[in-house]
Each structure stands twice: as C-alpha cells, then as structure tokens.
Amino acid sequence: MKIIEQIYVDGAFVAPHGDERFALFNPATEEKIGEVRLGDNRDAHAAIAAAKRAFPAMRQTTPAERIAMLQTLAKAVAANADALRAAMTIEYGAPQSFLAFSVPHAANVFDVAARTVADYAFTRRIGNAEVVMEPVGVAAAITPWNSNIGFICTKLATAIAAGTTIVIKPSEMSAIQTQVLLEVLHEARLPDGVLNVVNGYGHVVGAELSRHPDIAKITFTGSTTTGREILRNAAESFKRVTLELGGKGPQILLDDADLDRAIPHVLASAFRNSGQACIAGTRLLVPKRRHTEVISRLAQAVSALRPGPSSDPASDIGPMVSARQWERVQAYIRLGQEEGATLLVGGEGRPEGLQRGWFVRPTVFSGVTNDMRIAREEVFGPVLSVLSYETEAEAIAIANDTEYGLQSYVLGTDAERMRSIARQLEAGRVVINETPADAQAPFGGFKQSGIGREFGPFGLDAFLEPKAIIG
Ligand code: NAD
C-alpha cells in the first residue's frame, strides 16, 4: 500500500494543509493500492507564492542555462525509466505498447524543449522595433490520468524553456505516478520554486489555479467540459491559455488503400492506449464499394486483439482507468445498439477469461451514421465506429462534421491525393498512413479540441509575450 502524504512546494516535499484522502486502485485487479492526501486552496496559494518568488530569477536565466536544466531533467527521467514504467503499470495498467512509447517520450520532451530553445529567436528585429520574447509570468498546469507523466514533463519542459516557473495539479487518480516522477525530478535539483506540484481535486485546486490572479498562464490537458470551465475562470484575469481537449478523430480509408497495411494502422489509431487517447481515430470512414471487404478484415483483426493486464506483454488492450470509466464505456456500447448501429465485434461486459479488472471488450460498430451519439461523442475506450461514404467529398464532409478537430488520419496509396485531402480537414494534425510525427511539430486542436499548440516553437510561443522596444 503506497501512502502519499506530501506535496511539492519550493523545492521540498511538505505536508499539505488539506487532509482529505483519495483512494488509489490497480485497474487490472480493482485492488486498493494506495492513498493520497489531497491539498486544498491554502496549498494552492503556498505553491503559487513559491512560484512567484522564484520567477524573477528564472526570467533572468540565459537560454544556455535553461538548456542545461532541460538536459539534466531528460537524463534523470531516462535513468529512471523502470520505476516510471512500474508506476504506470500498477496504477494505470497501460499496455506495454503504450509504455514503450510514453516513458521514453517523457524524457525526450526535455531534450526536444532544449533543442527548441537552442533554435529559438528570443530577440528579433522588425523595422525599428527590437522585439523581445519574454516569459509570460507564473504558469499553472492541470493534467489528466491517461498519460500523466508525459503531460507533467511536457508542461514543465515548456515552462523552463520559456524561463518561467510553474505550479502543477496532476490528476488525483495518478498520484503514485506523480510521486515517482517527482522523486526523480527532485534529484535533478532545479532552483527552489521553479516546480511546484499540488495533488488535489480539480474543482478545488484546479479551479483555484484557474482563477488566481498571480497565475498568468494556464496549460491544461483534459476533457472539453473541464476546458470550458477553466477558460471561464481564467477570463477574469485574462490568463493566457493552452487547452488540449477531447477528440473524435476520423480515419479516412481511401478506395486505393492496401488493406494489409491499412488495417493495422486503423487498429493502432483506434485502440491506442486502450482507446483512452484524445488522438484516437474512433470514426473509420470506408468507401461503400469496399465496405464488405473492410468489415470482414476488421472483424477478424479486432477479434484477435487481446485485452489483459499490463504485466502480460501479449496484452494489446489494458483496463479502463476506473470503475467509472468502465461504466461510461459500457453505457456507450449499449447506446450504439439502441441507436441502431450493428455490433460487429465485442459488446457489453468483460472479455472472456477476465473476471476482475476494469477490462472492456474491444468493440466495433458498423452501419454508424454521423448523427448518432457514438459518432459524435468521445467514448474514451476501445470502441470504433465504422461509417461509409460514396465520394471523397462526402468523406471530407463527414470527417469535418464534428465539434472536435484534434487529429485526423488518411490511409491510402496516392501521396498527392492524401495531401490534398489533408489540406481540407479541420484538425490540428492530419497523419498520413501512420507516419511518425517530428517531435517539434505543433500539437493541438481546431474547434472544441482546444486552443493553442504544444511542442517546438509553437508550444514555446504560447509561454512568451512579445515586447516591442521602439527606437
Ligand atoms: P478531466 O477534464 O476530467 O480532468 C483533467 C484534469 O482536470 C484533472 O486533473 C482534474 O482533476 C482537473 N479538473 C477537473 N475539474 C476541474 C475544474 N473545474 N477546474 C480545474 N481543473 C479541473 O479529464 P480526464 O477524464 O482526466 O481525462 C480524459 C480527457 O482528457 C478526455 O476528454 C481526453 O480527450 C482529454 N485529453 C486530451 C488530450 C489532448 O492533448 N488534447 C490528451 C489526453 C487527454
């Protein structure tokens, strides 16, 4: 049983003022594995005050000094990959395919930020103006549970790159992962007050950070509903915001697609991170004339996916993070049937042989139309909806007919045609045939998938204010 009693303020682990306890579970066994003591408003204030005290010195640091900090953090995280992987396994249950990406990614974001700083023009000349890019002020970050370590590292890396300090409120459901990461980051010895972390509820600590006048910038990853609430709270003091929210990514499978290559891509995009991914491609758009063939290949491939615990390398799909998330996914599987979609694979209940743990059956619905709720709402579980289209124009129209606009996918063989379709899609990213993204490429959403971008120069811009010195 892991008991987490402390938060991290001003370079030290300290007991919070808040004393409410929150239970932590292993989602693969449903066993209680720990407890975290949550901070409250007073703890948020103490953390903000520490970040504010540390800000004047941090804003004076040179790019070279910040690059050195980022490189130290990258090394520290990389050196502790095993401990981080173990924490993600026990508290989140991510399949090993996701762990193989997410732990190296958490270290890599610091190196990427260091490279971004090295290439970034902090001073520019525009006519008679010297334009200086200055840190925006004290930042706050709020993270979700589906990749808590990666999000903390990304947001901390960008704050350091910009020369500012940060208060982070991680997901209360990821406290063990946060604690292991914090012990690693603490060893890297950042100046006191640069990093502060307060465990707590969203409506308490998260809301306080979103409102507090000493916070100049909020960077949030989570649901669109919470993003809207944060934006409202942030409006009072005109905070700068980066909001990375939900998605309902379309995957347009073109009529010239080679199914041997495309079907594995479809599965990887739809069921990534057990379907608990904002970028999941959960609407598969299939040309009518290839519908029968695609459906039969898909049914075969999805039936072969293995749900199971993270500890088993053969598991493709891990458990849902919580009983609540499990219920939510079940409700959507019921809803799909009530709405008249055809249940092709999967369905309600636990997968065969798994009596405990918040496992769901990887599920595919065919005959879905884009007005159904399963085609419009984010399920956040391994549930794929298959829709059909006649023409390329219709595919693009269906893809864009959504409130979201995070990540879209195009699968086919004609590169020029796919690029032309990509240009017409309303999404922050369009991935062609699962090509891996450059680590500095911007990430973020159109429409209700968010505001702003993370990573590389666009991510750094969002933590800086341009000041024009004229004359
Ligand atoms: P959530 O919005 O419920 O919670 C996210 C965080 O916000 C948590 O730390 C929570 O405590 C906090 N929070 C809750 N209410 C708050 C409030 N009123 N004020 C301030 N903070 C508050 O999201 P979740 O269920 O943890 O994560 C899943 C969601 O995150 C999905 O919608 C998913 O699409 C989204 N997500 C987006 C991205 C992206 O980069 N676009 C990445 C991963 C997940």
Side-chain angles (χ1 to χ4, degrees):
M1 185 77 75
K2 177 108 178 162
I3 307 291
I4 298 159
E5 289 276 3
Q6 295 177 318
I7 57 173
Y8 190 74
V9 178
D10 217 2
F13 289 97
V14 296
H17 173 263
D19 63 0
E20 202 172 328
R21 311 284 159 150
F22 182 82
L24 304 165
F25 294 90
N26 178 338
T29 61
E30 301 178 32
E31 278 161 357
K32 184 174 167 188
I33 52 169
E35 233 175 55
V36 55
R37 179 170 162 187
L38 300 176
D40 61 13
N41 280 2
R42 278 198 29 196
D43 298 308
H45 294 166
I48 294 167
K52 192 177 172 184
R53 282 194 300 277
F55 179 67
M58 192 61 184
R59 83 189 283 279
Q60 297 298 331
T61 53
T62 63
E65 287 168 326
R66 302 202 294 277
I67 289 171
M69 287 181 202
L70 291 164
Q71 289 171 338
T72 305
L73 291 166
K75 284 198 196 87
V77 173
N80 289 280
D82 288 348
L84 295 168
R85 214 177 290 118
M88 277 187 80
T89 299
I90 188 163
E91 188 182 38
Y92 178 58
Q96 294 202 8
S97 56
F98 187 68
L99 294 176
F101 153 78
S102 64
V103 176
H105 168 78
N108 195 35
V109 291
F110 291 109
D111 277 332
V112 171
R115 286 205 298 281
T116 304
V117 172
D119 294 342
Y120 196 85
F122 286 93
T123 304
R124 308 167 198 186
R125 183 152 282 282
I126 297 184
N128 73 344
E130 184 192 41
V131 180
V132 188
M133 300 299 286
E134 294 195 348
V136 62
V138 176
I142 301 172
T143 68
W145 42 261
N146 68 332
S147 186
N148 179 63
I149 288 173
F151 293 127
I152 291 178
C153 290
T154 299
K155 292 170 191 318
L156 171 63
T158 316
I160 292 173
T164 192
T165 60
I166 194 163
V167 179
I168 302 179
K169 199 233 55 93
S171 169
E172 58 276 28
M173 292 159 69
S174 311
I176 295 176
Q177 297 159 80
T178 299
Q179 182 64 22
V180 172
L181 177 65
L182 272 180
E183 285 164 13
V184 170
L185 298 176
H186 178 69
E187 287 309 309
R189 302 252 42 114
L190 287 169
D192 292 349
V194 168
L195 167 66
N196 307 276
V197 178
V198 183
N199 291 310
Y201 284 124
H203 66 275
V204 179
V205 176
E208 190 56 28
L209 295 177
S210 317
R211 279 192 297 257
H212 200 286
D214 288 344
I215 297 291
K217 159 91 195 172
I218 287 267
T219 171
F220 168 71
T221 300
S223 64
T224 295
T225 309
T226 305
R228 197 173 283 120
E229 177 72 14
I230 289 173
L231 191 55
R232 273 198 208 101
N233 284 334
E236 192 59 37
S237 52
F238 292 94
K239 295 188 200 323
R240 279 50 180 160
V241 294
T242 302
L243 302 175
E244 297 290 358
L245 311 176
K248 192 74 195 178
Q251 301 199 51
I252 302 183
L253 184 99
L254 294 171
D255 49 11
D256 65 358
D258 167 1
L259 294 188
D260 287 340
R261 296 178 60 187
I263 296 288
H265 290 332
V266 167
L267 263 56
S269 310
F271 299 118
R272 184 190 316 270
N273 195 9
S274 314
Q276 299 178 126
C278 52
I279 55 171
T282 49
R283 288 185 296 149
L284 176 65
L285 277 49
V286 176
K288 273 212 174 94
R289 70 175 185 80
R290 298 196 68 183
H291 192 259
T292 312
E293 177 195 7
V294 171
I295 287 294
S296 122
R297 293 283 293 268
L298 204 54
Q300 211 177 0
V302 176
S303 304
L305 289 177
R306 281 191 45 181
S310 185
S311 50
D312 179 355
S315 304
D316 299 302
I317 312 249
M320 302 295 93
V321 72
S322 63
R324 187 158 160 249
Q325 188 64 17
W326 188 86
E327 291 293 352
R328 176 187 156 91
V329 176
Q330 298 301 312
Y332 273 106
I333 295 175
R334 269 194 303 282
L335 177 69
Q337 295 168 85
E338 285 159 18
E339 288 184 303
T342 306
L343 187 62
L344 187 68
V345 189
E348 284 177 72
R350 285 188 165 70
E352 243 179 58
L354 292 168
Q355 301 320 317
R356 285 188 72 72
W358 296 309
F359 293 98
V360 303
R361 300 166 69 193
T363 295
V364 182
F365 283 110
S366 61
V368 177
T369 53
N370 211 37
D371 55 346
M372 292 181 184
R373 283 179 55 200
I374 50 161
R376 307 203 73 80
E377 297 174 15
E378 189 179 44
V379 176
F380 229 57
V383 179
L384 174 66
S385 292
V386 183
L387 298 87
S388 59
Y389 67 86
E390 293 275 9
T391 63
E392 196 177 291
E394 191 191 357
I396 294 166
I398 295 171
N400 287 339
D401 176 17
T402 166
E403 287 173 355
Y404 293 112
L406 191 57
Q407 184 152 304
S408 300
Y409 302 81
V410 186
L411 299 151
T413 50
D414 179 341
E416 236 350 274
R417 180 181 176 205
M418 289 190 285
R419 224 172 276 284
S420 155
I421 292 171
R423 281 192 287 268
Q424 298 172 69
L425 292 174
E426 296 162 359
R429 274 192 180 179
V430 182
V431 179
I432 295 175
N433 288 340
E434 276 293 296
T435 314
D438 185 282
Q440 295 209 55
F443 175 75
F446 279 30
K447 303 194 272 186
Q448 296 189 28
S449 284
I451 295 178
R453 296 293 180 270
E454 289 191 299
F455 302 116
F458 288 97
L460 184 49
D461 282 348
F463 275 67
L464 298 167
E465 290 277 22
K467 177 193 283 178
I469 301 172
I470 319 283

